């Protein structure tokens, strides 16, 4: 537990899922949709509350159908019936899985056949950051069995709903961001020059979990002389050395919600280039935070940060974006990128993540998590030190 703070309530009240479903149904009505067929873990969890690590097994598909009226219908393997039954749904249809010859296809066909006979239109997720979580041949069999059924893309509808967080979601996100911040604050007390890099990772995970995180499933970083050349590496056994710049980027979780931010340190005195890069990124981050207001666009935030980064890095870098949405997934829509004109709205949770190149093939990245409000954005993470911290 952090600072004697009581954790939020786990899970959600039924009213949360009812409200999400009704908002979706109002948008579906505008688009003339008779329902939505959902297959991914986060989309099912968003509408049903079904939360399990069993998704890590690729063996079984899972489905939820959100009708034009009423509660969603779950079409799931029998192994999940008890857990799904503890939630708010009434209609749970199961089969004994895995069954490669009929993994839920007959149940889906039975459910959707009346709509197919009416020539109705249903939505599935087709767009960016989505995937078909069922064998393609099963999808082809399903569509062949449902002549007359029209398929529309509901990527924008579902992602748009998920971008705006409820008060209960914000409470969970705030809590895990504080745990991550506390873990980063404690890390200098347990790491030192000569420590194998893989042990640094281990100590961070132990610290975060000890402070109350459920897990630290995402942890990447780097440590090399004067800086680092990538931001997605797993640890090596190389010991920390004087002159290194160390970076850790962590996505810890609590009750299925992520934080996602990083911190940088110098091992011993830092080079002028590294200190300058850190200073520019700190101010670029500040520019992004200050620009994050209702009515602005993701592109506006990208340009606000890019203008500061240009003081040191005229190349613009090749990361592609300088932040993203955050929630049940480590990265969600929208993207803080030149191509994304999504308008910022109250209760969006975003990462502000500028990066730049410097020196001979080196780079640096800085990241904070924020909540878009009615006025100025609110930091969910503890703001990094304005100068590159030095570990001696």
């Amino acid at each position: 537990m952090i600072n004697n703070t009581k954790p939020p309530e786990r899970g959600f009240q039924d009213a949360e899922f009812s409200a999400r479903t009704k908002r979706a149904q109002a948008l579906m009505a505008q688009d003339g949709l008779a329902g939505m067929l959902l297959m991914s873990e986060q989309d099912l969890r968003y509408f049903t509350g079904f939360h399990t690590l069993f998704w890590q097994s690729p063996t079984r598909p899972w489905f939820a159908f959100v009708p034009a009226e009423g509660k969603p219908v779950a079409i799931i393997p029998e192994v999940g019936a008890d857990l799904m039954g503890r939630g708010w749904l009434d209609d749970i249809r199961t089969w004994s899985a895995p069954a490669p010859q009929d993994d839920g296809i007959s149940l889906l066909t039975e459910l959707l056949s009346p709509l197919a006979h009416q020539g109705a239109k249903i939505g599935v997720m087709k767009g960016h950051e989505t995937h078909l979580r069922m064998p393609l041949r099963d999808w082809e069999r399903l569509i062949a069995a449902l002549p007359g059924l029209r398929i529309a893309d509901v990527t924008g509808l579902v992602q748009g709903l998920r971008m705006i967080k409820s008060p209960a979601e914000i409470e969970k996100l705030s809590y895990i961001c504080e745990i991550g911040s506390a873990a980063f604050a404690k890390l200098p007390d347990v790491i030192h020059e000569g420590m194998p890099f893989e042990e640094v990772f281990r100590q961070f995970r132990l610290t975060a979990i000890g402070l109350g995180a459920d897990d630290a499933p995402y942890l990447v970083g780097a440590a090399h002389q004067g800086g680092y050349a990538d931001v997605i590496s797993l640890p090596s056994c190389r010991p920390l050395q004087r002159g290194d710049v160390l970076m850790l980027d962590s996505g810890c979780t609590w009750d299925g919600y992520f934080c996602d931010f990083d911190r940088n340190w110098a091992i011993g005195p830092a080079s002028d280039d590294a200190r300058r890069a850190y200073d520019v990124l700190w101010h670029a981050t500040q520019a992004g935070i200050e620009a994050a207001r209702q009515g602005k666009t993701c592109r506006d935030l990208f340009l606000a940060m890019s203008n500061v980064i240009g003081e040191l890095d005229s190349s613009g870098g090749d990361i592609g974006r300088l932040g993203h949405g955050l929630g049940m997934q480590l990265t969600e829509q929208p993207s803080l990128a030149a191509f994304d004109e999504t308008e910022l709205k109250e209760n969006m949770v975003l990462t502000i993540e500028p990066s730049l190149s410097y020196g001979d093939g080196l780079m640096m990245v800085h990241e904070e998590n924020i909540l878009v409000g009615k006025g100025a954005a609110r930091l969910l993470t503890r703001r990094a030190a304005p100068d590159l911290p030095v570990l001696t």
Side-chain angles (χ1 to χ4, degrees), residues 280-292 297-313 316 321-324 335-337 350-356 366-368 370:
V280 169
L281 283 180
W282 196 94
H283 285 92
T285 302
Q286 191 62 30
I289 294 170
E290 292 173 0
T297 67
C298 291
R299 176 180 169 83
D300 291 333
L301 269 65
F302 175 84
L303 293 176
M305 289 182 275
S306 294
N307 289 338
V308 179
I309 293 169
E311 297 176 14
L312 185 62
D313 181 9
R321 65 181 183 180
L322 302 180
H324 51 80
S335 291
L336 304 188
L350 305 172
T351 72
I352 302 294
E353 189 178 11
S355 62
L356 56 74
H366 186 85
E367 191 170 16
E368 303 285 2
I370 65 168

Side-chain angles (χ1 to χ4, degrees), residues 41-363:
E41 189 272 337
Q42 289 78 19
D43 296 329
L44 261 74
R45 177 150 52 106
Y46 185 77
F47 287 104
T48 70
F50 186 67
H51 187 194
T52 173
L53 295 179
F54 204 65
W55 286 90
Q56 294 187 34
S57 168
T59 304
R60 299 167 177 83
W62 305 76
F63 309 103
F65 183 71
V66 182
E69 296 180 351
K71 294 183 180 182
V73 178
I75 308 95
I76 62 172
E78 176 62 32
V79 69
D82 182 76
L83 179 58
M84 184 68 81
R86 300 177 209 166
W88 81 297
L89 298 192
D90 302 318
D91 192 345
I92 303 169
R93 308 181 189 188
T94 68
W95 77 97
S96 179
Q101 300 308 310
D102 186 6
D103 253 340
I105 301 305
S106 294
L107 291 176
L108 285 175
T109 302
E110 179 183 12
L111 174 68
L112 299 175
S113 284
L115 298 178
H117 292 152
Q118 299 167 17
K121 180 171 64 172
I122 69 166
V124 298
M125 304 287 280
K126 295 184 178 182
H128 187 52
E129 296 192 7
T130 72
H131 62 276
L132 185 70
R133 200 186 181 279
M134 64 187 298
L136 179 58
R137 66 183 181 187
D138 283 2
W139 173 256
E140 292 171 341
R141 286 174 53 204
L142 179 65
I143 296 304
L146 299 168
L149 190 67
R150 294 176 291 152
I151 306 297
D153 183 11
V154 290
T155 304
L157 189 158
V158 175
Q159 290 181 346
L161 289 170
R162 286 181 50 196
M163 283 183 201
I164 311 299
K165 303 313 194 257
S166 70
E169 288 181 294
I170 291 168
E171 190 177 16
K172 296 177 193 294
L173 286 160
S174 299
Y175 187 67
I176 189 56
C177 285
E178 176 56 27
I179 289 175
S181 296
F184 273 128
K186 286 182 173 291
L187 199 61
D189 296 334
V190 296
I191 63 175
H192 53 80
E193 181 182 348
M195 177 180 282
F197 193 32
E198 61 184 6
E199 182 63 21
V200 175
F201 274 52
R202 187 172 296 110
Q203 289 299 320
F204 180 86
R205 285 195 171 97
L206 290 171
T207 301
I209 292 172
L211 288 167
D214 291 336
D215 200 359
Y218 183 81
L219 184 60
V220 296
H224 293 284
Q225 290 289 291
Y228 42 87
D230 78 272
V231 294
I232 60 173
S233 291
L234 295 172
S236 69
C237 58
R238 174 188 179 275
L240 297 180
Q241 300 175 15
R242 191 172 182 82
D244 282 351
V245 173
L246 164 67
M247 184 277 291
L248 292 181
D249 184 3
S250 172
C252 298
T253 60
W254 190 86
D255 200 25
Y257 282 79
F258 276 92
C259 65
D260 177 23
F261 63 109
D262 75 350
R263 290 294 179 258
N264 291 275
W265 299 271
I267 308 301
S271 68
D272 290 343
D273 283 350
R275 287 189 289 107
R276 173 63 173 156
Y278 186 95
D279 179 72
V280 169
L281 283 180
W282 196 94
H283 285 92
T285 302
Q286 191 62 30
I289 294 170
E290 292 173 0
R293 292 175 175 265
Q294 288 189 87
K296 294 287 188 179
T297 67
C298 291
R299 176 180 169 83
D300 291 333
L301 269 65
F302 175 84
L303 293 176
M305 289 182 275
S306 294
N307 289 338
V308 179
I309 293 169
E311 297 176 14
L312 185 62
D313 181 9
S314 60
S315 70
D318 58 1
I319 295 298
R321 65 181 183 180
L322 302 180
H324 51 80
L326 179 68
M328 288 189 291
Q329 291 173 281
L330 183 77
T331 69
E332 297 183 350
Q333 289 290 326
S335 291
L336 304 188
F339 62 77
D340 198 328
E341 297 283 359
T342 300
E343 181 179 330
L344 300 191
K345 297 180 180 179
E346 184 181 3
N347 292 343
M348 282 185 171
V349 175
L350 305 172
T351 72
I352 302 294
E353 189 178 11
S355 62
L356 56 74
S357 301
Y358 70 98
D360 185 13
L362 300 177
M363 68 175 299

